[in-house]
Amino acid sequence: MKQAAMTPSSAAQPIRRALWIPGIFVLGFLIVIAVNGILIVTAVSSFSGLETDSAYDKGLQYNQALAGAAANARTGWRAEPLVTAATGTDRKLEIMVTDRDGKPVTGLTMEAYLVRPTNAGMDTALTLIDLGAGRYGVAFTPEALGNWDLRLKARRGDIAWQQAQRIFLQ
């Protein structure tokens, strides 16, 4: 019987059982690249990046916006909104407008815009009724509860005023 001769080179090399380690390393990178690709495609296709329509035109009118803000500050008017539950899903919005001395501001033509921060299709325009003594109100049915941006616009003669703030509807 002839015995197989062992060469020194075959005896010195161990059997490679860990060939799967580089494969897992490469597979991990491929998974990361695939997930990042999916996230990039989803992000680019779901948001146009446009926050304001006609942003360039509004940017050109920035000085007018600054002048309007200065005129708004000169009036010294402040509005305190109060939203209460009416019947069922109806809510009542009541605004108390005061001047810088705390006296009620009367005789305003007032509008309110409820803007949903997350859904542009839910925005609502409301015309407020003068309730007397600087109070203005309207009943409305919100399309959803939660956070809303309340934008108030008032006019008396040639004086225009506006205020914006976040409210929470329950």
Side-chain angles (χ1 to χ4, degrees), residues 6-169:
M6 268 186 103
T7 61
S9 63
S10 65
Q13 290 199 359
I15 300 173
R16 294 191 44 102
R17 296 181 189 200
L19 288 176
W20 56 273
I21 293 175
I24 289 199
F25 186 73
V26 170
L27 180 65
F29 274 107
L30 290 175
I31 290 172
V32 169
I33 290 169
V35 169
N36 284 341
I38 291 170
L39 290 175
I40 289 169
V41 168
T42 304
V44 170
S45 65
S46 66
F47 180 60
S48 67
L50 183 63
E51 174 66 26
T52 303
D53 293 332
S54 306
Y56 178 73
D57 295 332
K58 288 183 180 183
L60 292 176
Q61 298 169 358
Y62 186 65
N63 287 337
Q64 292 173 341
L66 289 177
N72 195 42
R74 280 194 299 273
T75 66
W77 297 349
R78 290 183 306 266
E80 291 295 325
L82 175 65
V83 179
T84 56
T87 58
T89 58
D90 290 347
R91 300 290 183 268
K92 183 177 180 186
L93 172 63
E94 191 171 307
I95 309 292
M96 178 69 179
V97 182
T98 57
D99 63 10
R100 66 174 44 93
D101 298 326
K103 296 178 185 171
V105 178
T106 59
L108 296 176
T109 302
M110 191 163 217
E111 296 176 341
Y113 299 95
L114 286 171
V115 178
R116 185 77 168 174
T118 57
N119 299 68
M122 298 177 123
D123 299 353
T124 306
L126 305 168
T127 301
L128 282 80
I129 300 166
D130 190 347
L131 302 174
R135 293 181 354 199
Y136 303 86
V138 67
F140 69 101
T141 304
E143 291 194 39
L145 301 177
N147 284 320
W148 288 82
D149 289 333
L150 174 64
R151 297 179 184 167
L152 300 171
K153 290 186 178 185
R155 182 171 286 288
R156 182 171 71 186
D158 61 344
I159 299 173
W161 171 88
Q162 58 186 352
Q163 175 178 309
Q165 68 187 78
R166 178 72 51 98
I167 62 172
F168 186 80
L169 299 180

